[in-house]
Amino acid sequence: MDFAFASGDQEFRTEAREWLSEHVGPDRDRRTWERTLGKAGWIGLGWPEAGYGNRVASLTRQVVWAEEYARSGAPPRSGHIGENLLAPTLLAHGSEEQKARFLPPVAGGEELWCQGYSEPDAGSDLAGVRTTAVRDGAYYRISGQKVWTSLAHEADWCFVLARTEPDSRRHHGLSFLLVPMDQPGSVEVRPIRQLTGTSDFNEVFFDGARARVEHVVGGEGAGWQVAMSLLGFERGVSTLAQQVGFAKELGEVLRAALGSGAVADPVVRERLVRQWAELRVMRWNALRTLGSSGDAGAPSVAKLLWGGWHQRLGELAMAVRGAVASVGPGEWSASVSYELDALQHLFLFSRADTIYGGSDQVQRTIIAERVLGLPREPKGVV
């Protein structure tokens, strides 16, 4: 069922569908695709302000675009971190100069971003950041390590949470800096090879990397407030688009179950029906909370729902295929990376769904402390 009902929204759906059908193709690399989207104004639909080369669309139309994008089979986005995380943060906390400098290249698909938050000793506990930024004239010199940095190998810029006040602790003394990645000898990116054989995540090492003083968002020492504000933008319209992708994967699992004869097993049938029903529940929950504010637990509930659901789908994908699920689609060789088919990739990648983006334990802690008002979990001193 489509979310949009008004005639104007249906016309927008038709426009989006026709544009995507014309421009989606197998020959586009991801950076070229971002520029194609930007040239047509499709980047930044959810921004509250126009004038940066973007269209501005209502919440309903943002959902329409996200769903049509997912249905079209368009390439994975490389620019979503800049569009959906950095841009709303700059619009809320950035100076006019920062908006004018950074938003047009994001809207045009010209500059790609990554997020420098997690560290080896500060993943889920973000207040434990140890990366430092020392003032040096018109610049800050940044030293430290970030990890699990999505798309850092493609990014032009990184927004980095770093400690600018010496000897500060926890959430005090942090700043939110915009750092160029093209600094040979000062910024090193090391891809992290995953179970799937791909390397979407990276380690990033800063060794005296420079960031301009005027590129500190919100002012020195305001990093914690800015960082928390950004995390509030991480989930929203994109959840509904994600569910379109989930529905496609569920369809593939169902076809595999029919092909293998696994649907003859009543337990398998029950699991398939449960996956379908839970996906519908997630959709209606996403629609119920869409555009709402002030509900501290809603993003955590959504993450708990989809993380566990997707992981169970990966397990079901292997179960319906039986022993053949352990065999790859190509000949194995010790000298060549192993191949995976779509369902094997789903299973292996989904093992991390309950960890990345805030582990299940972290989400339950947020619900316990911020919604239920239970005593806060004691934190160690950094």
Side-chain angles (χ1 to χ4, degrees), residues 182-244:
D182 186 14
Q183 299 189 55
S186 297
V187 178
E188 180 185 359
V189 177
R190 298 181 189 173
I192 299 173
R193 184 175 172 84
Q194 301 157 221
L195 276 173
T196 55
T198 57
S199 300
D200 297 318
F201 305 107
N202 305 270
E203 296 177 287
V204 181
F205 296 86
F206 299 100
D207 185 9
R210 299 199 304 175
R212 290 183 176 274
V213 170
E214 62 266 29
H215 292 169
V216 177
V217 180
E220 184 177 302
W224 183 255
Q225 291 77 11
V226 176
M228 292 300 100
S229 176
L230 181 142
L231 292 177
F233 300 123
E234 279 199 307
R235 304 177 182 99
V237 170
S238 60
T239 301
L240 287 161
Q242 178 191 54
Q243 291 168 11
V244 173

Short mmCIF file of all heavy atoms in Angstrom, two decimals, residues 182-244:
data_model
loop_
_atom_site.label_atom_id
_atom_site.label_comp_id
_atom_site.label_asym_id
_atom_site.label_seq_id
_atom_site.Cartn_x
_atom_site.Cartn_y
_atom_site.Cartn_z
N ASP A 182 41.67 14.53 2.36
CA ASP A 182 42.82 14.53 1.46
C ASP A 182 44.00 15.24 2.12
O ASP A 182 44.33 16.38 1.80
CB ASP A 182 42.44 15.22 0.14
CG ASP A 182 43.56 15.11 -0.90
OD1 ASP A 182 44.48 14.30 -0.69
OD2 ASP A 182 43.52 15.86 -1.89
N GLN A 183 44.62 14.55 3.07
CA GLN A 183 45.79 15.06 3.78
C GLN A 183 46.82 13.93 3.87
O GLN A 183 46.94 13.28 4.91
CB GLN A 183 45.43 15.58 5.17
CG GLN A 183 44.42 16.73 5.18
CD GLN A 183 44.27 17.35 6.55
OE1 GLN A 183 45.23 17.78 7.19
NE2 GLN A 183 43.04 17.41 7.02
N PRO A 184 47.53 13.65 2.79
CA PRO A 184 48.49 12.55 2.79
C PRO A 184 49.51 12.68 3.93
O PRO A 184 50.05 13.75 4.18
CB PRO A 184 49.18 12.70 1.42
CG PRO A 184 48.19 13.43 0.58
CD PRO A 184 47.49 14.38 1.51
N GLY A 185 49.71 11.58 4.63
CA GLY A 185 50.64 11.56 5.75
C GLY A 185 50.00 11.95 7.06
O GLY A 185 50.55 11.67 8.13
N SER A 186 48.83 12.61 7.00
CA SER A 186 48.14 13.02 8.21
C SER A 186 46.81 12.29 8.41
O SER A 186 46.32 12.21 9.53
CB SER A 186 47.87 14.53 8.18
OG SER A 186 49.07 15.26 8.15
N VAL A 187 46.24 11.78 7.32
CA VAL A 187 45.00 10.99 7.39
C VAL A 187 45.23 9.69 6.64
O VAL A 187 45.54 9.69 5.45
CB VAL A 187 43.81 11.74 6.77
CG1 VAL A 187 42.55 10.86 6.84
CG2 VAL A 187 43.56 13.07 7.48
N GLU A 188 45.09 8.57 7.34
CA GLU A 188 45.26 7.26 6.73
C GLU A 188 43.98 6.45 6.91
O GLU A 188 43.45 6.35 8.02
CB GLU A 188 46.43 6.51 7.37
CG GLU A 188 46.65 5.13 6.77
CD GLU A 188 47.74 4.34 7.47
OE1 GLU A 188 48.34 4.88 8.44
OE2 GLU A 188 47.98 3.18 7.08
N VAL A 189 43.50 5.87 5.82
CA VAL A 189 42.29 5.05 5.84
C VAL A 189 42.67 3.60 5.58
O VAL A 189 43.33 3.30 4.59
CB VAL A 189 41.28 5.53 4.78
CG1 VAL A 189 40.05 4.62 4.77
CG2 VAL A 189 40.88 6.98 5.04
N ARG A 190 42.26 2.70 6.49
CA ARG A 190 42.53 1.27 6.33
C ARG A 190 41.20 0.52 6.30
O ARG A 190 40.49 0.45 7.30
CB ARG A 190 43.38 0.75 7.50
CG ARG A 190 44.75 1.38 7.62
CD ARG A 190 45.51 0.78 8.80
NE ARG A 190 46.74 1.50 9.09
CZ ARG A 190 47.50 1.26 10.16
NH1 ARG A 190 47.15 0.31 11.03
NH2 ARG A 190 48.61 1.96 10.36
N PRO A 191 40.86 -0.06 5.16
CA PRO A 191 39.60 -0.82 5.07
C PRO A 191 39.58 -2.02 6.02
O PRO A 191 40.61 -2.64 6.28
CB PRO A 191 39.56 -1.27 3.60
CG PRO A 191 40.46 -0.31 2.89
CD PRO A 191 41.55 0.02 3.87
N ILE A 192 38.40 -2.33 6.53
CA ILE A 192 38.19 -3.49 7.39
C ILE A 192 37.46 -4.56 6.59
O ILE A 192 36.33 -4.35 6.15
CB ILE A 192 37.36 -3.12 8.64
CG1 ILE A 192 38.08 -2.05 9.47
CG2 ILE A 192 37.07 -4.35 9.48
CD1 ILE A 192 37.26 -1.51 10.61
N ARG A 193 38.10 -5.69 6.37
CA ARG A 193 37.49 -6.76 5.59
C ARG A 193 36.47 -7.49 6.47
O ARG A 193 36.77 -7.90 7.59
CB ARG A 193 38.56 -7.74 5.11
CG ARG A 193 38.01 -8.84 4.20
CD ARG A 193 39.17 -9.69 3.68
NE ARG A 193 38.72 -10.87 2.97
CZ ARG A 193 38.38 -10.89 1.68
NH1 ARG A 193 38.46 -9.78 0.98
NH2 ARG A 193 37.98 -12.01 1.10
N GLN A 194 35.27 -7.66 5.93
CA GLN A 194 34.17 -8.26 6.68
C GLN A 194 33.96 -9.72 6.28
O GLN A 194 34.60 -10.23 5.36
CB GLN A 194 32.89 -7.46 6.41
CG GLN A 194 32.98 -6.00 6.80
CD GLN A 194 31.99 -5.14 6.06
OE1 GLN A 194 32.31 -4.04 5.63
NE2 GLN A 194 30.77 -5.62 5.89
N LEU A 195 33.03 -10.38 6.98
CA LEU A 195 32.68 -11.76 6.67
C LEU A 195 32.24 -11.92 5.22
O LEU A 195 32.47 -12.95 4.59
CB LEU A 195 31.53 -12.23 7.57
CG LEU A 195 31.87 -12.76 8.96
CD1 LEU A 195 30.57 -13.00 9.73
CD2 LEU A 195 32.67 -14.04 8.88
N THR A 196 31.60 -10.89 4.69
CA THR A 196 31.07 -10.94 3.33
C THR A 196 32.17 -10.79 2.28
O THR A 196 31.89 -10.91 1.08
CB THR A 196 30.05 -9.81 3.13
OG1 THR A 196 30.67 -8.56 3.47
CG2 THR A 196 28.84 -10.02 4.02
N GLY A 197 33.38 -10.47 2.69
CA GLY A 197 34.47 -10.23 1.75
C GLY A 197 34.56 -8.80 1.30
O GLY A 197 35.50 -8.41 0.60
N THR A 198 33.59 -7.96 1.66
CA THR A 198 33.58 -6.55 1.28
C THR A 198 34.22 -5.71 2.38
O THR A 198 34.50 -6.20 3.47
CB THR A 198 32.14 -6.06 1.02
OG1 THR A 198 31.35 -6.30 2.20
CG2 THR A 198 31.53 -6.83 -0.14
N SER A 199 34.42 -4.44 2.08
CA SER A 199 35.08 -3.53 3.04
C SER A 199 34.37 -2.18 3.05
O SER A 199 34.91 -1.18 2.59
CB SER A 199 36.56 -3.35 2.68
OG SER A 199 37.25 -4.58 2.69
N ASP A 200 33.16 -2.16 3.57
CA ASP A 200 32.40 -0.92 3.64
C ASP A 200 32.83 -0.06 4.83
O ASP A 200 32.56 1.14 4.85
CB ASP A 200 30.91 -1.22 3.74
CG ASP A 200 30.38 -1.93 2.51
OD1 ASP A 200 30.78 -1.54 1.40
OD2 ASP A 200 29.60 -2.89 2.66
N PHE A 201 33.43 -0.69 5.84
CA PHE A 201 33.86 0.02 7.03
C PHE A 201 35.38 0.17 7.03
O PHE A 201 36.09 -0.60 6.38
CB PHE A 201 33.42 -0.72 8.30
CG PHE A 201 31.95 -0.99 8.36
CD1 PHE A 201 31.45 -2.26 8.17
CD2 PHE A 201 31.05 0.04 8.60
CE1 PHE A 201 30.09 -2.52 8.23
CE2 PHE A 201 29.69 -0.20 8.66
CZ PHE A 201 29.20 -1.48 8.48
N ASN A 202 35.85 1.15 7.79
CA ASN A 202 37.28 1.46 7.77
C ASN A 202 37.77 1.90 9.14
O ASN A 202 36.99 2.37 9.98
CB ASN A 202 37.56 2.62 6.79
CG ASN A 202 37.05 2.35 5.39
OD1 ASN A 202 37.74 1.81 4.56
ND2 ASN A 202 35.80 2.73 5.14
N GLU A 203 39.07 1.77 9.34
CA GLU A 203 39.77 2.47 10.40
C GLU A 203 40.33 3.76 9.80
O GLU A 203 40.80 3.76 8.66
CB GLU A 203 40.92 1.65 10.94
CG GLU A 203 40.54 0.35 11.63
CD GLU A 203 41.77 -0.42 12.06
OE1 GLU A 203 42.44 -0.99 11.18
OE2 GLU A 203 42.06 -0.45 13.27
N VAL A 204 40.28 4.84 10.57
CA VAL A 204 40.85 6.11 10.11
C VAL A 204 41.81 6.61 11.19
O VAL A 204 41.43 6.72 12.36
CB VAL A 204 39.76 7.17 9.85
CG1 VAL A 204 40.39 8.47 9.35
CG2 VAL A 204 38.74 6.65 8.84
N PHE A 205 43.05 6.90 10.78
CA PHE A 205 44.08 7.37 11.70
C PHE A 205 44.40 8.83 11.37
O PHE A 205 44.71 9.16 10.22
CB PHE A 205 45.34 6.52 11.59
CG PHE A 205 45.13 5.08 11.99
CD1 PHE A 205 44.65 4.16 11.06
CD2 PHE A 205 45.38 4.66 13.28
CE1 PHE A 205 44.45 2.83 11.42
CE2 PHE A 205 45.19 3.34 13.65
CZ PHE A 205 44.72 2.42 12.72
N PHE A 206 44.32 9.69 12.38
CA PHE A 206 44.68 11.10 12.25
C PHE A 206 45.99 11.34 12.96
O PHE A 206 46.14 11.04 14.15
CB PHE A 206 43.59 11.99 12.86
CG PHE A 206 42.24 11.84 12.21
CD1 PHE A 206 41.25 11.07 12.78
CD2 PHE A 206 41.97 12.49 11.01
CE1 PHE A 206 40.01 10.93 12.19
CE2 PHE A 206 40.73 12.37 10.40
CZ PHE A 206 39.75 11.59 10.99
N ASP A 207 46.95 11.87 12.23
CA ASP A 207 48.27 12.15 12.79
C ASP A 207 48.63 13.61 12.49
O ASP A 207 49.34 13.91 11.55
CB ASP A 207 49.31 11.20 12.19
CG ASP A 207 50.69 11.36 12.81
OD1 ASP A 207 50.81 12.08 13.83
OD2 ASP A 207 51.64 10.78 12.27
N GLY A 208 48.08 14.50 13.30
CA GLY A 208 48.30 15.92 13.07
C GLY A 208 47.49 16.49 11.93
O GLY A 208 47.86 17.53 11.34
N ALA A 209 46.37 15.84 11.59
CA ALA A 209 45.52 16.34 10.51
C ALA A 209 44.96 17.71 10.87
O ALA A 209 44.69 18.01 12.04
CB ALA A 209 44.37 15.37 10.26
N ARG A 210 44.79 18.57 9.87
CA ARG A 210 44.37 19.94 10.12
C ARG A 210 42.88 20.14 9.85
O ARG A 210 42.32 19.59 8.90
CB ARG A 210 45.16 20.92 9.26
CG ARG A 210 46.66 20.89 9.51
CD ARG A 210 47.35 22.15 9.00
NE ARG A 210 47.09 22.40 7.59
CZ ARG A 210 47.51 23.48 6.93
NH1 ARG A 210 48.20 24.41 7.57
NH2 ARG A 210 47.23 23.64 5.65
N ALA A 211 42.24 20.94 10.69
CA ALA A 211 40.86 21.40 10.48
C ALA A 211 40.83 22.89 10.81
O ALA A 211 41.37 23.33 11.83
CB ALA A 211 39.89 20.65 11.38
N ARG A 212 40.23 23.67 9.95
CA ARG A 212 40.18 25.11 10.16
C ARG A 212 39.34 25.46 11.39
O ARG A 212 38.34 24.80 11.69
CB ARG A 212 39.58 25.81 8.94
CG ARG A 212 40.48 25.78 7.70
CD ARG A 212 39.84 26.55 6.57
NE ARG A 212 40.72 26.61 5.41
CZ ARG A 212 41.68 27.53 5.23
NH1 ARG A 212 41.86 28.47 6.16
NH2 ARG A 212 42.44 27.52 4.16
N VAL A 213 39.73 26.49 12.09
CA VAL A 213 39.00 26.94 13.27
C VAL A 213 37.56 27.28 12.92
O VAL A 213 36.63 26.98 13.67
CB VAL A 213 39.71 28.15 13.92
CG1 VAL A 213 38.84 28.77 15.00
CG2 VAL A 213 41.06 27.71 14.49
N GLU A 214 37.36 27.90 11.73
CA GLU A 214 36.00 28.29 11.34
C GLU A 214 35.14 27.09 10.93
O GLU A 214 33.95 27.25 10.65
CB GLU A 214 36.03 29.31 10.20
CG GLU A 214 36.67 28.82 8.91
CD GLU A 214 38.15 29.17 8.81
OE1 GLU A 214 38.81 29.29 9.87
OE2 GLU A 214 38.63 29.35 7.68
N HIS A 215 35.74 25.89 10.93
CA HIS A 215 34.99 24.69 10.60
C HIS A 215 34.63 23.87 11.84
O HIS A 215 34.37 22.67 11.74
CB HIS A 215 35.79 23.83 9.61
CG HIS A 215 35.92 24.45 8.26
ND1 HIS A 215 36.78 23.96 7.28
CD2 HIS A 215 35.30 25.53 7.70
CE1 HIS A 215 36.67 24.73 6.19
NE2 HIS A 215 35.80 25.67 6.43
N VAL A 216 34.60 24.52 12.99
CA VAL A 216 34.08 23.89 14.21
C VAL A 216 32.60 24.24 14.31
O VAL A 216 32.24 25.42 14.39
CB VAL A 216 34.84 24.37 15.46
CG1 VAL A 216 34.23 23.76 16.71
CG2 VAL A 216 36.31 24.00 15.35
N VAL A 217 31.73 23.25 14.31
CA VAL A 217 30.29 23.48 14.30
C VAL A 217 29.79 23.70 15.72
O VAL A 217 30.07 22.90 16.62
CB VAL A 217 29.55 22.30 13.65
CG1 VAL A 217 28.04 22.54 13.66
CG2 VAL A 217 30.06 22.08 12.24
N GLY A 218 29.09 24.80 15.93
CA GLY A 218 28.51 25.09 17.23
C GLY A 218 29.45 25.74 18.21
O GLY A 218 29.06 26.09 19.32
N GLY A 219 30.73 25.88 17.83
CA GLY A 219 31.71 26.49 18.72
C GLY A 219 32.48 25.45 19.51
O GLY A 219 32.03 24.32 19.71
N GLU A 220 33.67 25.85 19.96
CA GLU A 220 34.52 24.94 20.73
C GLU A 220 33.82 24.53 22.02
O GLU A 220 33.26 25.35 22.74
CB GLU A 220 35.85 25.59 21.04
CG GLU A 220 36.84 24.67 21.75
CD GLU A 220 38.20 25.31 21.98
OE1 GLU A 220 38.83 25.72 20.98
OE2 GLU A 220 38.61 25.41 23.15
N GLY A 221 33.89 23.24 22.33
CA GLY A 221 33.31 22.71 23.57
C GLY A 221 31.85 22.32 23.46
O GLY A 221 31.29 21.74 24.40
N ALA A 222 31.21 22.59 22.32
CA ALA A 222 29.79 22.26 22.14
C ALA A 222 29.59 20.94 21.40
O ALA A 222 28.49 20.64 20.95
CB ALA A 222 29.08 23.38 21.40
N GLY A 223 30.65 20.16 21.28
CA GLY A 223 30.60 18.96 20.46
C GLY A 223 29.57 17.94 20.91
O GLY A 223 28.93 17.29 20.08
N TRP A 224 29.42 17.76 22.22
CA TRP A 224 28.48 16.76 22.70
C TRP A 224 27.05 17.11 22.30
O TRP A 224 26.30 16.25 21.81
CB TRP A 224 28.57 16.62 24.22
CG TRP A 224 27.67 15.55 24.77
CD1 TRP A 224 26.50 15.71 25.43
CD2 TRP A 224 27.88 14.13 24.67
NE1 TRP A 224 25.95 14.51 25.77
CE2 TRP A 224 26.78 13.52 25.32
CE3 TRP A 224 28.87 13.34 24.11
CZ2 TRP A 224 26.66 12.13 25.41
CZ3 TRP A 224 28.74 11.96 24.21
CH2 TRP A 224 27.65 11.38 24.85
N GLN A 225 26.66 18.37 22.46
CA GLN A 225 25.31 18.79 22.10
C GLN A 225 25.08 18.62 20.60
O GLN A 225 24.03 18.14 20.16
CB GLN A 225 25.07 20.25 22.51
CG GLN A 225 25.00 20.52 23.99
CD GLN A 225 26.37 20.54 24.67
OE1 GLN A 225 27.42 20.55 23.99
NE2 GLN A 225 26.37 20.53 25.99
N VAL A 226 26.07 19.00 19.80
CA VAL A 226 25.94 18.86 18.34
C VAL A 226 25.88 17.39 17.94
O VAL A 226 25.06 16.99 17.11
CB VAL A 226 27.11 19.57 17.62
CG1 VAL A 226 27.03 19.35 16.11
CG2 VAL A 226 27.10 21.06 17.94
N ALA A 227 26.73 16.57 18.55
CA ALA A 227 26.76 15.14 18.23
C ALA A 227 25.44 14.46 18.57
O ALA A 227 24.94 13.62 17.81
CB ALA A 227 27.91 14.47 18.97
N MET A 228 24.87 14.79 19.72
CA MET A 228 23.59 14.20 20.11
C MET A 228 22.47 14.66 19.19
O MET A 228 21.56 13.90 18.86
CB MET A 228 23.26 14.57 21.56
CG MET A 228 24.19 13.93 22.59
SD MET A 228 24.18 12.11 22.55
CE MET A 228 25.69 11.79 21.61
N SER A 229 22.53 15.90 18.76
CA SER A 229 21.54 16.41 17.81
C SER A 229 21.62 15.63 16.51
O SER A 229 20.60 15.24 15.93
CB SER A 229 21.78 17.90 17.56
OG SER A 229 20.90 18.39 16.57
N LEU A 230 22.83 15.37 16.04
CA LEU A 230 23.02 14.62 14.79
C LEU A 230 22.44 13.22 14.90
O LEU A 230 21.79 12.73 13.96
CB LEU A 230 24.50 14.56 14.44
CG LEU A 230 24.86 13.83 13.15
CD1 LEU A 230 26.00 14.52 12.44
CD2 LEU A 230 25.23 12.37 13.42
N LEU A 231 22.64 12.56 16.04
CA LEU A 231 22.13 11.20 16.18
C LEU A 231 20.62 11.15 16.06
O LEU A 231 20.05 10.13 15.67
CB LEU A 231 22.58 10.61 17.53
CG LEU A 231 24.08 10.34 17.67
CD1 LEU A 231 24.40 9.84 19.07
CD2 LEU A 231 24.55 9.34 16.63
N GLY A 232 19.94 12.25 16.38
CA GLY A 232 18.50 12.31 16.24
C GLY A 232 18.03 12.29 14.80
O GLY A 232 16.86 12.03 14.52
N PHE A 233 18.95 12.59 13.85
CA PHE A 233 18.59 12.59 12.43
C PHE A 233 18.82 11.24 11.77
O PHE A 233 18.50 11.06 10.60
CB PHE A 233 19.41 13.65 11.67
CG PHE A 233 19.21 15.05 12.17
CD1 PHE A 233 20.30 15.81 12.60
CD2 PHE A 233 17.96 15.62 12.21
CE1 PHE A 233 20.14 17.11 13.06
CE2 PHE A 233 17.78 16.91 12.67
CZ PHE A 233 18.86 17.65 13.09
N GLU A 234 19.39 10.28 12.51
CA GLU A 234 19.84 9.03 11.89
C GLU A 234 18.69 8.16 11.41
O GLU A 234 18.85 7.36 10.51
CB GLU A 234 20.70 8.23 12.86
CG GLU A 234 22.12 8.69 12.92
CD GLU A 234 23.04 7.65 13.51
OE1 GLU A 234 22.77 7.17 14.61
OE2 GLU A 234 24.06 7.34 12.87
N ARG A 235 17.53 8.30 12.00
CA ARG A 235 16.41 7.44 11.63
C ARG A 235 15.20 8.30 11.33
O ARG A 235 14.95 9.30 11.96
CB ARG A 235 16.11 6.45 12.75
CG ARG A 235 17.32 5.62 13.12
CD ARG A 235 17.06 4.68 14.27
NE ARG A 235 18.29 3.95 14.59
CZ ARG A 235 19.11 4.27 15.58
NH1 ARG A 235 18.85 5.29 16.35
NH2 ARG A 235 20.20 3.56 15.80
N GLY A 236 14.41 7.89 10.35
CA GLY A 236 13.24 8.66 9.95
C GLY A 236 12.67 8.09 8.68
O GLY A 236 12.30 6.93 8.60
N VAL A 237 12.60 8.95 7.65
CA VAL A 237 12.07 8.52 6.37
C VAL A 237 12.82 7.33 5.81
O VAL A 237 12.23 6.43 5.20
CB VAL A 237 12.12 9.70 5.37
CG1 VAL A 237 11.80 9.24 3.96
CG2 VAL A 237 11.15 10.80 5.80
N SER A 238 14.14 7.29 6.04
CA SER A 238 14.95 6.20 5.48
C SER A 238 14.50 4.83 5.98
O SER A 238 14.72 3.81 5.32
CB SER A 238 16.42 6.42 5.82
OG SER A 238 16.61 6.45 7.22
N THR A 239 13.85 4.77 7.16
CA THR A 239 13.39 3.50 7.70
C THR A 239 12.36 2.86 6.77
O THR A 239 12.36 1.65 6.56
CB THR A 239 12.78 3.71 9.10
OG1 THR A 239 13.77 4.27 9.96
CG2 THR A 239 12.30 2.40 9.68
N LEU A 240 11.48 3.68 6.19
CA LEU A 240 10.46 3.15 5.30
C LEU A 240 11.08 2.63 4.01
O LEU A 240 10.67 1.61 3.47
CB LEU A 240 9.42 4.22 5.01
CG LEU A 240 8.49 4.52 6.19
CD1 LEU A 240 7.81 5.87 6.03
CD2 LEU A 240 7.45 3.42 6.34
N ALA A 241 12.08 3.34 3.49
CA ALA A 241 12.78 2.86 2.30
C ALA A 241 13.51 1.56 2.61
O ALA A 241 13.54 0.63 1.78
CB ALA A 241 13.76 3.91 1.82
N GLN A 242 14.09 1.48 3.80
CA GLN A 242 14.77 0.26 4.22
C GLN A 242 13.80 -0.92 4.19
O GLN A 242 14.16 -2.03 3.77
CB GLN A 242 15.33 0.46 5.62
CG GLN A 242 16.03 -0.74 6.22
CD GLN A 242 16.32 -0.53 7.71
OE1 GLN A 242 15.42 -0.23 8.49
NE2 GLN A 242 17.58 -0.64 8.09
N GLN A 243 12.57 -0.68 4.61
CA GLN A 243 11.58 -1.76 4.66
C GLN A 243 11.16 -2.24 3.28
O GLN A 243 10.78 -3.40 3.12
CB GLN A 243 10.37 -1.31 5.48
CG GLN A 243 10.69 -1.14 6.95
CD GLN A 243 9.61 -0.42 7.72
OE1 GLN A 243 8.52 -0.19 7.21
NE2 GLN A 243 9.91 -0.04 8.96
N VAL A 244 11.24 -1.36 2.28
CA VAL A 244 11.00 -1.79 0.91
C VAL A 244 12.06 -2.82 0.51
O VAL A 244 11.77 -3.86 -0.10
CB VAL A 244 11.00 -0.60 -0.06
CG1 VAL A 244 10.91 -1.09 -1.51
CG2 VAL A 244 9.82 0.33 0.23
#
